[in-house]
Amino acid sequence: MDLLIPSTGLLFWMSLTFLVVLFILWRFGFPVITNMVNERKAFIDESLQKAHEANEKLANIQKEGESILQEAREKQAQILKEAAETRDAIVEKAQDKARQEGARLLDDAKIAIEQEKKAAIADIRKQVATLSVEIAEKVIRQQLKSDQAQMDLIERMLDDVSAKE
């Protein structure tokens, strides 16, 4: 049984050693360990806070990115709308110009046709007049073969001129 029950001297020295070690640890070890645990806790809390802030910043950046994308889409739609309006205006202007040019060409063609018509009528009149003179000349030559017929014609013409005055 001696093995199970320690002697008082041993018990005393073991208790004294235990108390000295406990005092040294209490005085020098536990504050260092507690300080390290507190520092580690503060580091973890700070890291969690930074992670939370980073998540918030990331969420804000995503929102900003989405708003920028939406704004870009709106600008793109506006630019496309303006381009379509510009295209329509250019097409309308070109159609108006083509209509005006067509009307001008039609008017020019009508004027040219009218001038050609007048020229053709004048030419026909000239030809009719020439033919009439030639026919009259032939008829008069036939009728005025004799000198007496020529003299009668001259007298009639003089009488007509005298009567008109």
Side-chain angles (χ1 to χ4, degrees):
M1 248 343 221
D2 262 347
L3 290 174
L4 294 178
I5 299 175
S7 66
T8 49
L10 182 63
L11 194 55
F12 171 76
W13 287 113
M14 283 179 63
S15 297
L16 184 67
T17 307
F18 176 74
L19 290 174
V20 169
V21 169
L22 183 63
F23 175 75
I24 292 173
L25 284 176
W26 195 273
R27 180 88 175 142
F28 300 109
F30 287 140
V32 172
I33 292 171
T34 308
N35 191 21
M36 287 177 62
V37 168
N38 288 337
E39 287 177 6
R40 180 72 178 158
K41 183 182 179 240
F43 177 74
I44 290 172
D45 289 341
E46 186 180 329
S47 295
L48 287 174
Q49 182 65 26
K50 285 181 181 179
H52 182 68
E53 290 173 3
N55 282 337
E56 287 178 359
K57 286 181 182 179
L58 182 60
N60 288 338
I61 289 172
Q62 286 177 340
K63 286 179 184 177
E64 287 177 15
E66 289 174 5
S67 67
I68 289 171
L69 281 175
Q70 182 64 28
E71 187 177 320
R73 286 185 188 120
E74 289 172 0
K75 281 187 179 182
Q76 179 186 17
Q78 182 182 2
I79 289 169
L80 288 175
K81 181 181 175 186
E82 289 174 0
E85 290 173 356
T86 303
R87 179 199 64 209
D88 292 343
I90 290 171
V91 167
E92 184 66 31
K93 187 186 281 186
Q95 287 176 345
D96 287 345
K97 189 173 182 180
R99 283 187 205 109
Q100 290 173 353
E101 186 66 20
R104 187 188 62 78
L105 290 175
L106 187 60
D107 290 342
D108 290 350
K110 285 180 182 178
I111 291 171
I113 289 171
E114 188 64 31
Q115 288 175 348
E116 289 292 324
K117 180 180 170 185
K118 287 180 183 177
I121 290 173
D123 188 40
I124 289 172
R125 285 184 180 171
K126 183 178 176 184
Q127 288 178 2
V128 167
T130 303
L131 285 175
S132 297
V133 169
E134 288 177 6
I135 291 172
E137 183 181 340
K138 287 183 182 179
V139 168
I140 291 177
R141 280 190 189 188
Q142 287 258 328
Q143 289 180 357
L144 299 177
K145 285 191 175 185
S146 67
D147 287 337
Q148 183 58 35
Q150 287 178 5
M151 287 308 282
D152 288 341
L153 179 65
I154 291 172
E155 285 179 19
R156 271 188 304 198
M157 288 177 90
L158 286 175
D159 287 341
D160 283 344
V161 170
S162 300
K164 286 183 182 177
E165 291 178 359

